[in-house]
């Protein structure tokens, strides 16, 4: 069993490989079969699942294995371009994880907020619940865009959207939420006083 530092390093490497996956599809499609990228991705996903299980994150491990099984199944059936399906599945998994916490509270964003502010007030709970819903909607819309890109766009545009633009949109939502949160908090405090 590798040390915790070695597991973290391996996990970081595997994250980089999965983030760069759309570009590997683009380049391997030019030189050989994009199926090689899918094979490497499946190995990476299974390795990440193993790391999740080793660190006690069973749900993440099960979800990773589910994504790998779906990709392999779609590839075997030949009904969908499984090479381009990965970003769609990732967005749907994130939407499901965030959405599940809306059905079974506390919401995911509330759980994260309570790490920093354990005594989150009622307004904070309501705000984090709405923000969790925003992320669910974002991931569903992004899955739709990734599906459309995967089915209709040339590989270079698909790779650019799923390997760069999509991450920039996640970052924009993440960073853009901070001033919105501050504004909403100040407005709530003015109304409460």
């Amino acid at each position: 069993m590798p040390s915790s530092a070695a597991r973290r390093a391996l996990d970081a490497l595997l994250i980089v490989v999965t983030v760069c996956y759309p570009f590997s599809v683009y380049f391997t499609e030019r030189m050989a079969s994009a199926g090689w990228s899918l094979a490497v991705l499946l190995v990476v996903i299974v390795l990440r699942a193993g790391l999740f299980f080793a660190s006690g994150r069973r749900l993440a491990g099960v979800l990773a294995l589910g994504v790998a099984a779906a990709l392999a199944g779609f590839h075997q059936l030949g009904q969908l371009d499984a090479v381009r399906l990965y970003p769609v599945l990732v967005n749907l998994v994130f939407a499901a994880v965030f959405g599940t916490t809306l059905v079974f509270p506390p919401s995911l964003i509330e759980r994260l907020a309570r790490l920093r502010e354990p005594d989150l007030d009622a307004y904070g709970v309501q705000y984090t619940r709405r923000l969790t819903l925003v992320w669910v909607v974002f991931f569903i819309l992004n899955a739709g865009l990734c599906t459309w890109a995967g089915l209709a766009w040339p590989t270079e545009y698909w790779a650019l959207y799923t390997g760069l633009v999509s991450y920039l949109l996640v970052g924009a939502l993440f960073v853009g939420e901070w001033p919105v949160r501050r504004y909403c908090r100040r407005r709530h405090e003015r109304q409460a006083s």
Side-chain angles (χ1 to χ4, degrees):
M1 179 75 98
S3 70
S4 64
R7 278 197 309 262
R8 283 193 305 272
L10 178 59
D11 196 33
L13 175 64
L14 296 175
I15 289 170
V16 169
V17 170
T18 56
V19 166
C20 295
Y21 172 73
F23 296 107
S24 74
V25 170
Y26 172 72
F27 289 114
T28 58
E29 188 177 80
R30 304 259 181 258
M31 296 182 283
S33 166
W36 283 103
S37 289
L38 181 61
V40 169
L41 179 64
L42 290 173
V43 169
V44 168
I45 293 171
V46 169
L47 287 172
R48 288 210 65 212
L51 289 173
F52 288 141
F53 284 119
S55 65
R57 296 181 288 172
R58 289 182 44 194
L59 178 59
V62 168
L63 289 172
L65 290 177
V67 167
L71 288 172
F74 284 126
H75 181 69
Q76 289 301 313
L77 291 173
Q79 293 183 356
L80 289 175
D81 191 354
V83 171
R84 294 186 179 199
L85 188 61
Y86 177 68
V88 175
L89 292 176
V90 168
N91 278 281
L92 291 176
V93 165
F94 278 128
V97 168
F98 277 72
T100 300
T101 66
L102 291 173
V103 176
F104 302 103
S107 69
L108 183 59
I109 304 293
E110 179 185 342
R111 293 173 198 193
L112 295 173
R114 285 189 185 277
L115 294 175
R116 193 162 181 206
E117 192 177 332
D119 297 326
L120 196 63
D121 62 4
Y123 170 80
V125 170
Q126 180 185 27
Y127 180 85
T128 55
R129 183 171 179 76
R130 287 182 182 157
L131 182 57
T132 302
L133 179 60
V134 167
W135 278 103
V136 170
V137 170
F138 171 83
F139 286 125
I140 290 170
L141 291 174
N142 202 37
L145 275 170
C146 290
T147 301
W148 180 36
L151 295 174
W153 296 1
T155 303
E156 55 269 18
Y157 296 137
W158 169 84
L160 184 63
Y161 180 77
T162 60
L164 178 64
V165 174
S166 182
Y167 294 120
L168 291 175
L169 291 173
V170 168
L173 179 56
F174 183 78
V175 171
E177 181 274 331
W178 185 76
V180 170
R181 179 181 355 136
R182 289 177 51 108
Y183 169 78
C184 290
R185 174 57 83 172
R186 279 195 304 260
R187 192 179 76 181
H188 169 73
E189 288 170 354
R190 277 195 306 266
Q191 290 173 349
S193 59

